[in-house]
Amino acid sequence: MSPSPVLVLGCGLIGTSLALALTEAGVEVHLDDILESNVELAVARGAGTADPVDAPAVVVVAVPPTEVAACVALALETWPDATVTDVASVKATLQNKIAALPGNERYVGSHPMAGSERSGPMAAYARLFEGRPWAVTSRAGADAASIARVVEIAELVGAVPLEMDAEAHDRAVAVVSHVPHVLAVLTAARLHGAPQDHLALSGPGLRDVTRIAGSDIALWQEILGANATEVRAVLEQVRGDLDRVIDSIGTDTDRLGDVLQSGQDGTKLIPGKHGEEVAALATVFVSVPDEPGELSRLMAHTGESGVNIEDIRIDHELGRRVGQVEIAVVAAQAARLVEALTARGWSAYS
Amino acid sequence: MSPSPVLVLGCGLIGTSLALALTEAGVEVHLDDILESNVELAVARGAGTADPVDAPAVVVVAVPPTEVAACVALALETWPDATVTDVASVKATLQNKIAALPGNERYVGSHPMAGSERSGPMAAYARLFEGRPWAVTSRAGADAASIARVVEIAELVGAVPLEMDAEAHDRAVAVVSHVPHVLAVLTAARLHGAPQDHLALSGPGLRDVTRIAGSDIALWQEILGANATEVRAVLEQVRGDLDRVIDSIGTDTDRLGDVLQSGQDGTKLIPGKHGEEVAALATVFVSVPDEPGELSRLMAHTGESGVNIEDIRIDHELGRRVGQVEIAVVAAQAARLVEALTARGWSAYS
């Protein structure tokens, strides 16, 4: 039996998306937010009802990071039979604060690994969590039924629950999310002062490395501040590697090679699609005129080939109306795709 | 009149791609390589002829970085009327070496900003240079006719020639290419030792930041070594910013915010598609079942909407057969695309 009713406190992107997904899954969802207009928008989008609820099975706290602890405390006190969870992206400090509260055994932390560059209820989307990891930070003293309810919420919205303790979670996101964010920022920060004709040499690699540096600054100030200890520890290791590169560049090719090797090996550790090991993929390159419908025509022809597309990248180019498209497919199928596309008049190679 | 005949020395990815493109453009292309098998493959692919040439108009030196200077010297001596260029990715030191040689006025350095994770003549492709920046490093003392010939070669293969001096080029690629490569490597290197369930929290942001760290190590040892002075100078600025982050994280939110702001501003300096200013784009999100043909069907429906696709990103997801696709379009057209896709049964939002 699904946990119901669910009360969602905070109708931003995550709260409203979750409410939409739970409503679609048949759960009775109640909504509240300090901003009445957010609740109205979320209700108008079909995310649930603004009516008060007497005895929610689960309360999901989806408010800004700095407000979470106080809001969880209030929820534990107000609804003495409810499981309470939150969606903040840093967990250990928060959990320690809550562990001192009456009813803390009914609290289980969550962190759905989902987001968007947009925010607010109008950006919300029921499928935001589909296939995404959802960390559930269980701990000694937490009520087994409450853990089960939070895991069920994650599964109901299509996420993949991963139980881990709060400290492990915070170490993990420092490495896979927070430090990559800082290094993207440091890369982009070096572009200031470069003349326009220097920047004209930019390629797709630079855009990839720096993309996430464009994210919301206030949110990242809060996230990095909340996970300061873990992030600082990893950044100090980065500084060690950076010093090794600075010392060895132009003087010690082998030592530089060791750092490059360590990075190349690291890329192979990232789990592939669907959490499987990375399959051996090959890239098929196709020239596509940059006109409405050409890309669609290419995709249609690709579909007719029966070869499944693993990934697509459009290489933005400088000074002319043409694009190169890179289509990633399982290596064994690349020749088949090239043949099918060439037969249909495309300039394709692998 | 196009410069012809052209002799390409070195039948790797770049040399053979250039030979293919020049042959397509009607130029008489001769090929040579220290590896006879490379020449045979390039000839078999239609890149030109292995016959010797008496008086090439242009000699393109496309050999590995450490061999370029000697090969240019030999070319200047052997063909006293030829313009000689190369395609190495670092220019100033090389140019200084060549400036001391007899005939140096006929040398003009090149750096086409094009490549692939693959190498060798079989990976070559005539359109590799289409729309890509092609740095032409002119200098005092270079023969105007030779500069014009190299610019013409770049234009013949569809590249966008950008004249700049060698020192400016090397400073530029340090910032837009070499340092981003190092920071991608440092990010990926931190993944070692992380338990599998930590890595399971990885998202698309991490994959973007680290992608180029998977590139060929020997090549990058040579590139970074050749541009050591410029790269080290920028990396020292990165270390300054890194120290600021380490010092301010968890203690000085404003100072941390300044670095984040500097990175966010930096992302806006990267030229957009076709060298234009970045247009205001909006992202349309669509859920797509991960089955052969579904993505193609989506693209076909997108094409029927008449809205031009600026970019596509497939968000790889964990543990289930579904994908979210992000389609970037000009902001004013996003609503039209959402409407068209929704009418055809897709779950789309913007």
Side-chain angles (χ1 to χ4, degrees):
Chain A
M1 201 189 68
S2 299
S4 188
V6 170
L7 172 62
V8 176
L9 297 177
C11 298
L13 170 73
I14 301 289
T16 306
S17 295
L18 184 59
L20 283 166
L22 289 171
T23 298
E24 276 193 11
V27 174
E28 177 188 327
V29 178
H30 294 253
L31 301 162
D32 202 359
D33 194 297
I34 200 167
L35 280 177
E36 189 53 39
S37 60
N38 271 1
V39 179
E40 284 166 14
L41 284 170
V43 170
R45 294 208 50 202
T49 170
D51 296 342
V53 56
D54 282 339
V58 178
V59 179
V60 179
V61 172
V63 300
T66 50
E67 311 298 323
V68 173
C71 195
V72 167
L74 188 66
L76 287 171
E77 190 185 329
T78 310
W79 295 284
D81 296 318
T83 292
V84 178
T85 188
D86 72 299
V87 298
S89 48
V90 182
K91 310 279 17 152
T93 314
L94 180 63
Q95 185 167 287
N96 290 341
K97 280 185 198 164
I98 293 166
L101 300 175
N104 75 79
E105 68 283 355
R106 291 179 283 115
Y107 167 75
V108 178
S110 282
H111 181 203
M113 305 298 292
S116 162
E117 75 275 20
R118 300 180 58 200
S119 56
M122 290 313 289
Y125 179 56
R127 310 220 173 158
L128 188 64
F129 308 100
E130 249 176 25
R132 293 306 186 104
W134 180 307
V136 176
T137 53
S138 52
R139 70 197 155 90
D143 175 40
S146 287
I147 296 174
R149 279 172 170 173
V150 173
V151 167
E152 196 168 3
I153 295 250
E155 287 172 343
L156 275 173
V157 300
V160 181
L162 297 168
E163 285 187 60
M164 55 179 70
D165 67 50
E167 290 75 18
H169 168 274
D170 291 356
R171 277 197 302 278
V173 292
V175 167
V176 304
S177 170
H178 303 170
V179 164
H181 192 92
V182 170
L183 293 187
V185 165
L186 298 187
T187 307
R190 286 300 105 224
L191 301 174
H192 292 284
Q196 196 54 43
D197 65 334
H198 289 201
L199 294 169
L201 297 180
S202 301
L206 177 67
R207 275 183 284 268
D208 279 352
V209 176
T210 57
R211 187 179 62 84
I212 57 176
S215 307
D216 185 64
I217 290 167
L219 178 65
W220 277 93
Q221 282 174 307
E222 287 193 9
I223 291 173
L224 294 172
N227 204 22
T229 307
E230 298 294 346
V231 173
R232 192 186 299 112
V234 181
L235 287 178
E236 279 166 356
Q237 296 173 321
V238 169
R239 182 164 56 187
D241 281 346
L242 178 59
D243 286 341
R244 262 184 287 284
V245 173
I246 291 174
D247 290 347
S248 63
I249 197 167
T251 61
D252 186 342
T253 303
D254 288 346
R255 196 158 168 236
L256 179 62
D258 290 343
V259 179
L260 294 173
Q261 186 71 57
S262 172
Q264 192 192 60
D265 293 345
T267 62
K268 295 174 188 156
L269 298 172
I270 303 173
K273 200 174 181 184
H274 312 304
E276 294 158 10
E277 292 302 300
V278 180
L281 296 183
T283 302
V284 173
F285 298 84
V286 191
S287 281
V288 179
D290 180 19
E291 299 294 338
E294 280 300 289
L295 190 56
S296 312
R297 210 165 64 84
L298 171 62
M299 293 302 107
H301 289 166
T302 302
E304 286 163 28
S305 75
V307 174
N308 198 19
I309 301 170
E310 297 289 331
D311 204 356
I312 297 176
R313 168 184 300 274
I314 302 181
D315 196 354
H316 292 295
E317 296 177 335
L318 195 74
R320 61 162 46 202
R321 291 271 152 202
V322 68
Q324 175 158 283
V325 174
E326 302 180 9
I327 305 176
V329 298
V330 172
Q333 301 203 312
R336 182 171 155 206
L337 180 58
V338 169
E339 195 179 325
L341 292 178
T342 306
R344 286 168 173 84
W346 296 95
S347 174
Y349 78 109
S350 173
Chain B
M1 201 189 67
S2 300
S4 188
V6 169
L7 171 63
V8 175
L9 297 177
C11 298
L13 171 73
I14 301 290
T16 306
S17 295
L18 184 58
L20 284 166
L22 289 172
T23 297
E24 275 193 12
V27 173
E28 177 189 326
V29 178
H30 294 254
L31 300 162
D32 202 358
D33 194 297
I34 199 167
L35 279 178
E36 189 54 37
S37 61
N38 270 2
V39 179
E40 284 166 12
L41 284 169
V43 170
R45 295 206 50 202
T49 169
D51 295 343
V53 55
D54 282 339
V58 178
V59 179
V60 180
V61 173
V63 301
T66 51
E67 311 299 323
V68 173
C71 196
V72 167
L74 188 66
L76 288 171
E77 190 186 331
T78 309
W79 296 285
D81 296 319
T83 291
V84 178
T85 188
D86 73 298
V87 297
S89 49
V90 182
K91 311 282 11 154
T93 314
L94 179 64
Q95 186 166 287
N96 291 340
K97 279 186 199 164
I98 294 166
L101 301 174
N104 73 78
E105 69 283 356
R106 291 179 285 114
Y107 168 76
V108 177
S110 283
H111 181 206
M113 305 299 292
S116 163
E117 76 275 21
R118 301 181 58 199
S119 56
M122 290 313 289
Y125 178 55
R127 311 222 173 155
L128 187 64
F129 308 100
E130 248 176 26
R132 292 306 186 103
W134 180 307
V136 176
T137 54
S138 53
R139 69 199 154 90
D143 175 38
S146 287
I147 295 174
R149 279 172 169 174
V150 173
V151 166
E152 196 168 2
I153 295 253
E155 287 172 344
L156 275 173
V157 300
V160 181
L162 298 167
E163 286 187 61
M164 56 179 71
D165 69 49
E167 290 74 17
H169 168 274
D170 291 356
R171 277 198 301 279
V173 293
V175 167
V176 304
S177 170
H178 303 170
V179 164
H181 192 90
V182 170
L183 293 186
V185 164
L186 298 187
T187 307
R190 287 300 104 224
L191 301 174
H192 292 284
Q196 195 54 45
D197 65 332
H198 288 201
L199 294 170
L201 296 179
S202 301
L206 177 66
R207 275 183 285 269
D208 279 352
V209 176
T210 58
R211 186 178 63 85
I212 58 176
S215 307
D216 185 65
I217 290 166
L219 178 66
W220 277 93
Q221 282 174 306
E222 288 192 9
I223 291 172
L224 295 172
N227 205 22
T229 306
E230 298 295 347
V231 174
R232 192 186 299 110
V234 181
L235 287 178
E236 280 167 356
Q237 296 173 320
V238 170
R239 182 164 56 188
D241 280 346
L242 177 58
D243 286 340
R244 263 184 286 284
V245 173
I246 290 174
D247 289 348
S248 64
I249 197 168
T251 61
D252 186 342
T253 302
D254 288 347
R255 196 158 168 235
L256 179 62
D258 290 343
V259 179
L260 294 172
Q261 186 70 57
S262 172
Q264 192 192 61
D265 293 345
T267 63
K268 295 174 188 156
L269 298 173
I270 303 173
K273 200 174 181 184
H274 313 301
E276 295 158 8
E277 292 301 300
V278 180
L281 296 183
T283 303
V284 173
F285 298 84
V286 192
S287 281
V288 179
D290 180 20
E291 299 293 337
E294 280 301 290
L295 189 56
S296 313
R297 211 165 62 84
L298 171 62
M299 292 302 106
H301 289 167
T302 302
E304 287 163 27
S305 74
V307 174
N308 197 20
I309 302 170
E310 297 290 330
D311 204 356
I312 297 176
R313 168 184 300 273
I314 302 181
D315 196 356
H316 291 296
E317 294 177 337
L318 193 75
R320 60 162 46 202
R321 293 270 152 202
V322 67
Q324 174 157 286
V325 174
E326 302 179 11
I327 305 175
V329 298
V330 173
Q333 301 203 313
R336 181 169 155 209
L337 181 57
V338 169
E339 194 179 326
L341 293 177
T342 305
R344 286 169 174 82
W346 296 96
S347 173
Y349 76 111
S350 175

